[in-house]
Amino acid sequence: MKYTGTVVKTISLLLVIGSLIFYQNIAQSRADYKAAVRAQIKAEEKARRESAKKASAKYRDGVYEGEGFGFGGEIMVRVTITDGEIYTIDAYEHSGEDEEYFRLALGMVDEIIDANDPSVDVVTGSTFSSEGLLEAIKDALGKATKK
Amino acid sequence: MKKNYMARTVTEILIRLLFFILMPAAFSSGFLGIKLLFTSIGKGETLNIGSLWILIGLSVFTIVFGRFFCGFVCAFGTLGDAVYAASGFVQRKILKRKKQLSIPEKPTVVLQKIKYLILFVIAVLCVFDIYKSLSGYSPWDVFSRLMVFRLPGDAYWAGSIILLLILIGMVFKKRFFCQFLCPMGALFSLLPVLPVSKIQRNERNCIKGCNACRKNCPVHIKAGENILRDGECIACEKCIGVCPKKNLTQPEKKLIKNELFLLVIKAALVFVMGICLGFCRFF
């Protein structure tokens, strides 16, 4: 055959180009995946850093006590700050309050912990107790706030 | 006939000289593509097409026109031609030898395989990312430094010695580096060439027992035979120029009758490509 050499080389060249394209596709999808993972990790890191920054700018770690005046007497709370964030709020003295109203008012506590901020609406129908509780929490957080 | 031969020789020398001055680093720019390709594969990264354009351009040109790049453009090839010609002059005129000392055909054909091994080894070194720490061994880098009139520096002592050995080799064999050692040439010789650009011999018109074309082939190709080894053809067109009966042609010559004009057209195409892809000096 006159063109055997040319045919053989053409076929091998096409095979090489084909495998390079195949390789490129795999490498590309792998690179895309890696980039996506990296972007996600970066975003998470950024979010964490930001929240850490935000939190650390706000509160110092520790246990702080605060008091407020509720319906029938003093309400006392103990707020624990961990990693710059509000971790627990324990209302240990609320003897002057009506149990049912006070239980309603305690619904704010989870909200405050989630938001890491005491600026929540008072519970309607339990205004005195929740205002007293909020006052106590704000008092405690005021001691925790970085100057 | 004599006049024709002179015109061809002068044209060839001018083309080679021009490219020697304008594109002394074309071969290393093209080969850089190969190195980057294998380095990327070794790291599992995507191939950066932007860094491969010179390689792709030269490869496509070689597929269409044969290894014109090797024959006329590559500065290392021209260097080999010059050294071998100078060696011939010294041997004949000063040493009074009748025939220039040269490596005979049989070992040549075997030695021609070395360049594939070199290409393979460089590819492997790139895949394992070892190559970049060995750049001091590259005779090409040393040559590139010299071409821009800079001394290669202490880090390149090994490359300098290798370049010196290659220059000595060039004294004893026409196109010593091109046919035995050049990894870029190894790649080009593995590329298919369009049949229209292949040199063919019209044997019916041959003078009996002439074989001037075969005797003058620097890479020992038998004109008229179609063999896998014809990838060794560096398209130097020595056979075309030397044939007393003008029996060697390329089918592409049917389009352009004047063979010297055809040479100039190919040179112009490489020149334009060099400017477009940025491996042409001064432009």
Side-chain angles (χ1 to χ4, degrees):
Chain A
M1 253 287 282
K2 203 176 173 186
Y3 297 120
T4 312
T6 310
V7 171
V8 170
K9 283 176 184 172
T10 307
I11 292 170
S12 20
L13 177 66
L14 291 177
L15 283 175
V16 168
I17 292 174
S19 30
L20 281 180
I21 291 172
F22 184 67
Y23 168 84
Q24 179 76 338
N25 280 334
I26 293 175
Q28 189 65 57
S29 57
R30 259 172 51 182
D32 288 348
Y33 176 73
K34 261 190 202 162
V37 169
R38 212 176 295 128
Q40 201 187 337
I41 289 172
K42 230 179 189 172
E44 275 170 11
E45 232 167 44
K46 198 181 168 197
R48 203 170 50 229
R49 233 193 352 261
E50 252 170 23
S51 78
K53 216 194 302 179
K54 210 164 122 194
S56 67
K58 240 172 162 179
Y59 308 119
R60 277 178 310 226
D61 284 6
V63 180
Y64 304 93
E65 294 189 336
E67 48 187 62
F69 198 74
F71 178 69
E74 295 281 337
I75 299 175
M76 294 187 181
V77 294
R78 209 175 276 127
V79 176
T80 314
I81 306 289
T82 308
D83 294 333
E85 286 176 329
I86 301 169
Y87 190 59
T88 56
I89 297 174
D90 175 30
Y92 63 93
E93 168 56 52
H94 48 85
S95 48
E97 306 307 301
D98 191 301
E99 270 308 300
E100 285 305 309
Y101 286 108
F102 192 67
R103 224 158 40 83
L104 275 173
L106 280 178
M108 292 190 304
V109 167
D110 288 336
E111 259 184 272
I112 290 168
I113 290 174
D114 284 345
N116 196 34
D117 195 276
S119 53
V120 295
D121 293 332
V122 292
V123 182
T124 45
S126 178
T127 317
F128 290 117
S129 288
S130 36
E131 271 179 357
L133 179 62
L134 205 55
E135 198 189 333
I137 293 172
K138 279 179 175 168
D139 182 25
L141 286 176
K143 294 169 188 163
T145 305
K146 283 184 175 174
K147 301 264 156 35
Chain B
M1 201 45 77
K2 258 263 160 7
K3 202 177 148 203
N4 255 338
Y5 189 67
M6 274 304 288
R8 167 172 273 275
T9 309
V10 170
T11 313
E12 285 179 351
I13 289 175
L14 281 179
I15 290 175
R16 291 198 176 108
L17 208 60
L18 195 74
F19 281 126
F20 190 83
I21 294 163
L22 291 178
M23 301 184 180
F27 53 88
S28 48
S29 308
F31 195 67
L32 182 66
I34 293 279
K35 291 190 280 193
L36 292 174
L37 186 80
F38 282 106
T39 308
S40 297
I41 289 174
K43 288 182 180 163
E45 290 170 351
T46 47
L47 311 176
N48 181 5
I49 307 292
S51 65
L52 301 178
W53 278 121
I54 296 176
L55 176 68
I56 294 171
L58 293 179
S59 299
V60 170
F61 190 88
T62 300
I63 290 170
V64 177
F65 293 108
R67 288 169 64 185
F68 176 83
F69 178 84
C70 298
F72 289 93
V73 181
C74 181
F76 234 86
T78 303
L79 180 70
D81 277 346
V83 171
Y84 188 75
S87 146
F89 181 81
V90 170
Q91 288 188 34
R92 271 189 294 271
K93 294 280 150 79
I94 298 172
L95 300 176
K96 305 287 180 201
R97 286 183 57 95
K98 275 209 181 100
K99 205 164 171 270
Q100 184 170 355
L101 200 67
S102 184
I103 300 173
E105 179 180 343
K106 272 198 177 148
T108 297
V109 173
V110 177
L111 289 170
Q112 281 174 350
K113 307 285 182 272
I114 295 174
K115 63 176 173 294
Y116 300 104
L117 190 70
I118 290 179
L119 176 64
F120 179 76
V121 168
I122 290 178
V124 170
L125 288 176
C126 284
V127 165
F128 292 104
D129 211 15
I130 308 167
Y131 186 87
K132 63 174 194 291
S133 55
L134 298 175
S135 72
Y137 288 85
S138 166
W140 276 7
D141 286 355
V142 176
F143 182 68
S144 306
R145 298 294 286 171
L146 292 175
M147 281 307 290
V148 290
F149 307 112
R150 293 252 167 76
L151 281 175
D154 294 344
Y156 286 98
W157 64 270
S160 304
I161 290 171
I162 294 172
L163 181 65
L164 199 69
L165 291 175
I166 289 170
L167 284 170
I168 293 170
M170 284 171 172
V171 169
F172 296 109
K173 186 68 192 173
K174 200 164 197 175
R175 295 284 183 144
F176 175 86
F177 182 79
C178 306
Q179 43 179 338
F180 298 155
L181 305 175
C182 181
M184 192 71 186
L187 176 84
F188 284 152
S189 70
L190 292 172
L191 293 175
V193 173
L194 289 189
V196 284
S197 294
K198 283 196 168 172
I199 296 169
Q200 283 164 11
R201 185 166 83 157
N202 183 7
E203 253 155 273
R204 278 169 302 170
N205 293 345
C206 282
I207 302 168
K208 246 203 164 128
C210 164
N211 276 336
C213 50
R214 296 181 175 187
K215 282 176 200 150
N216 279 283
C217 180
V219 295
H220 300 284
I221 284 176
K222 307 260 180 290
E225 277 178 9
N226 275 283
I227 45 172
L228 264 178
R229 209 173 65 80
D230 65 8
E232 298 292 342
C233 174
I234 50 171
C236 68
E237 305 199 2
K238 196 85 200 157
C239 48
I240 297 179
V242 87
C243 182
K245 301 269 284 177
K246 284 193 161 277
N247 276 348
L248 287 111
T249 53
Q250 291 145 294
E252 65 189 14
K253 215 149 280 168
K254 280 178 187 134
L255 296 170
I256 294 151
K257 282 281 185 298
N258 189 326
E259 58 183 40
L260 291 185
F261 188 52
L262 191 67
L263 263 185
V264 173
I265 288 178
K266 288 181 198 171
L269 280 174
V270 175
F271 180 69
V272 170
M273 183 164 74
I275 290 172
C276 293
L277 297 180
F279 61 85
C280 186
R281 250 204 318 191
F282 309 123
F283 286 96

